[in-house]
Amino acid sequence: MGRLDIKRLVKDNVRSLHPYEVKAYPCDIKLDANESPYPLTLSPRVRSEFNRVLRVLNRYPDPEARRLRGALSRTLKVRIDNILHGNGSDELIYYLITTFGGPVMYPVPTFSMYGVIAQALGEERIEVPLDRDFDIDVDRILTAIRRHRPKLIFLSSPNNPTGNCFSQERILEIIEYTSHHPSLVVIDEAYQPFSKKGSLVHFIRNYGNVLIMRTLSKIGLAALRVGFIIAQEDIIREVNKVRLPFNLNSISQAVALAIMKDSETVRSNINMITSERRRLFLEMQQIDGIHPYPSDANFILFRAERVDAIFNGLIKKGILIRNMKGAVDGCLRVTVGTPRENTIFLNTLKELSG
Ligand code: PMP
């Protein structure tokens, strides 16, 4: 029987994509994926929620995630109809681009999934370089908006992988401009809990073209895959049309809800991470040849002279970070770990840079 050349059947835009692969390096110290280093312990409340769900695994989850969205709406002080839940914010990026289409615009370097999903869905991507300080280049982006009329503009603030928040005035300039030349501005606040600069969620009251995207992945619940967007009702209603009915499983809904009620631990873990971020930054600054960039997130981007040698040298010592080759050449990104992990990382980095 002849062998089918399956690639001939695949859509052009998918053929040229690469699957999201994370090469498996057997490392004890995992500082590559911007996760929280602190597993959230199951309090009796969480445990009993978990057990309750385990008794009804024969039933579909609540398609509307009402209890979870209700709790989020009280925390965020918005109405439940202003919130849409996703299987991680990745899924919501998919839904947004499915709903509105392209062109899809975003500054670069930034989170890769905006571009990957736009390409997977066959939509045009417009990438606009950030300025030298990794802030939005307003003139360039407004010119690009005029020229390309994007449907969606993704702004990750704090930005992955650079770590900084974009300046609020510049974000506002884009929002103001696009409220007259319709584009939707999605402010991805995945790392906002680690920043002193406040959330921009209140913008949704005054601007009908703003969406805020959040996730529980960075604050200790990456395995649950819970993300959500907050926007005016008419936007939520449209995006909800493309949402798969049972996109958020029952265990994730129940455990996220129960853990939200124990928010003290989440908060103290965040405080620990931000204080360790400061220590990491200050100590990295002292190492010859290492130039860390200030961060509002739970990771630090740094420039180094021998990026590959450092990356491989760390792996040999069981420490995995992210080599940013291709996205920000000459840079590496390290996630803030526990104090012990950070100390081991710093000592090894000193040895490798000596
Ligand atoms: N946005 C940004 C900026 C991210 O860095 C990430 C995760 N790396 C995500 C969204 C996706 O998060 P989630 O786990 O909610 O899909």
Side-chain angles (χ1 to χ4, degrees):
M1 199 168 66
R3 225 176 108 80
L4 171 67
D5 179 7
I6 194 69
K7 288 210 167 152
R8 289 179 52 192
L9 293 180
V10 175
K11 286 160 66 179
D12 290 345
N13 52 303
V14 176
R15 194 177 304 125
S16 53
L17 271 176
H18 298 284
Y20 186 88
E21 270 173 348
V22 184
K23 207 166 155 193
Y25 294 103
C27 285
D28 286 339
I29 300 186
K30 198 175 168 315
L31 305 175
D32 66 318
N34 301 342
E35 298 147 326
S36 168
Y38 303 109
L40 287 168
T41 42
L42 294 189
S43 65
R45 193 209 315 256
V46 179
R47 217 178 282 269
S48 86
E49 271 304 302
F50 192 69
N51 286 332
R52 187 186 61 75
V53 177
L54 291 185
R55 285 194 292 272
V56 282
L57 290 182
N58 56 321
R59 302 293 177 195
Y60 280 114
D62 171 11
E64 310 287 338
R66 291 216 142 255
R67 291 180 67 207
L68 179 58
R69 282 167 56 237
L72 288 168
S73 88
R74 286 186 288 280
T75 309
L76 295 164
K77 302 190 172 45
V78 295
R79 298 185 35 205
I80 191 168
D81 297 335
N82 295 125
I83 301 177
L84 188 69
H85 55 292
N87 194 266
S89 35
D90 284 347
E91 186 185 52
L92 293 165
I93 300 169
Y94 226 106
Y95 289 164
L96 288 169
I97 302 178
T98 304
T99 307
F100 300 104
V104 176
M105 183 178 283
Y106 45 89
V108 281
T110 194
F111 181 45
S112 59
M113 293 313 282
Y114 311 138
V116 170
I117 295 172
Q119 187 181 347
L121 293 171
E123 301 294 349
E124 190 185 356
R125 293 163 293 157
I126 313 290
E127 304 188 336
V128 184
L130 291 169
D131 71 12
R132 289 173 51 127
D133 300 320
F134 296 140
D135 202 349
I136 294 169
D137 186 332
V138 179
D139 289 340
R140 251 177 124 153
I141 212 161
L142 291 185
T143 306
I145 292 170
R146 268 191 291 275
R147 181 173 309 147
H148 298 281
R149 305 265 159 183
K151 291 274 190 59
L152 285 161
I153 303 169
F154 285 95
L155 302 175
S156 162
S157 186
N159 186 36
N160 178 13
T162 57
N164 57 304
C165 283
F166 299 140
S167 76
Q168 194 164 318
E169 303 78 62
R170 295 183 190 194
I171 294 178
L172 248 179
E173 258 188 83
I174 295 173
I175 293 172
E176 295 268 1
Y177 184 81
T178 51
S179 56
H180 308 297
H181 304 76
S183 297
L184 294 175
V185 180
V186 184
I187 304 168
D188 182 346
E189 292 192 336
Y191 301 98
Q192 195 282 329
F194 305 100
S195 167
K196 284 215 177 67
K197 297 166 191 132
S199 166
L200 301 183
V201 73
H202 56 277
F203 278 8
I204 72 151
R205 290 208 185 95
N206 298 332
Y207 297 98
N209 65 328
V210 173
L211 297 89
I212 304 290
M213 191 159 64
R214 299 288 286 264
T215 178
L216 303 187
S217 295
K218 310 299 168 188
I219 55 172
L221 297 172
L224 291 186
R225 311 299 299 124
V226 178
F228 47 97
I229 46 179
I230 308 137
Q232 289 190 5
E233 261 173 74
D234 53 346
I235 297 181
I236 298 292
R237 207 176 302 122
E238 294 306 316
V239 185
N240 195 31
K241 291 180 188 169
V242 304
R243 183 177 60 77
L244 297 175
F246 306 109
N247 61 326
L248 197 52
N249 73 72
S250 309
I251 296 177
S252 294
Q253 290 189 31
V255 176
L257 181 65
I259 285 183
M260 277 183 66
K261 291 181 185 157
D262 288 333
S263 57
E264 267 312 297
T265 323
V266 173
R267 182 51 33 213
S268 77
N269 288 347
I270 291 172
N271 289 342
M272 192 67 178
I273 290 165
T274 52
S275 97
E276 277 295 295
R277 176 182 70 199
R278 189 177 148 71
R279 177 171 79 95
L280 262 182
F281 179 79
L282 293 176
E283 294 206 24
M284 285 167 80
Q285 269 189 325
Q286 303 303 314
I287 306 175
D288 268 352
I290 299 292
H291 304 283
Y293 292 98
S295 171
D296 296 305
N298 66 342
F299 56 83
I300 294 178
L301 181 77
F302 63 100
R303 196 162 281 287
E305 271 143 35
R306 294 172 306 112
V307 170
D308 289 337
I310 290 177
F311 179 74
N312 293 323
L314 286 166
I315 287 181
K316 280 207 190 95
K317 299 279 176 143
I319 306 164
L320 183 60
I321 65 168
R322 186 67 67 92
N323 191 341
M324 298 311 301
K325 219 170 22 190
V328 204
D329 284 329
C331 284
L332 296 147
R333 190 194 70 193
V334 60
T335 305
V336 181
T338 61
R340 178 186 154 273
E341 290 173 332
N342 299 332
T343 300
I344 297 172
F345 163 74
L346 283 167
N347 290 341
T348 315
L349 188 63
K350 277 178 207 154
E351 277 167 31
L352 293 168
S353 309

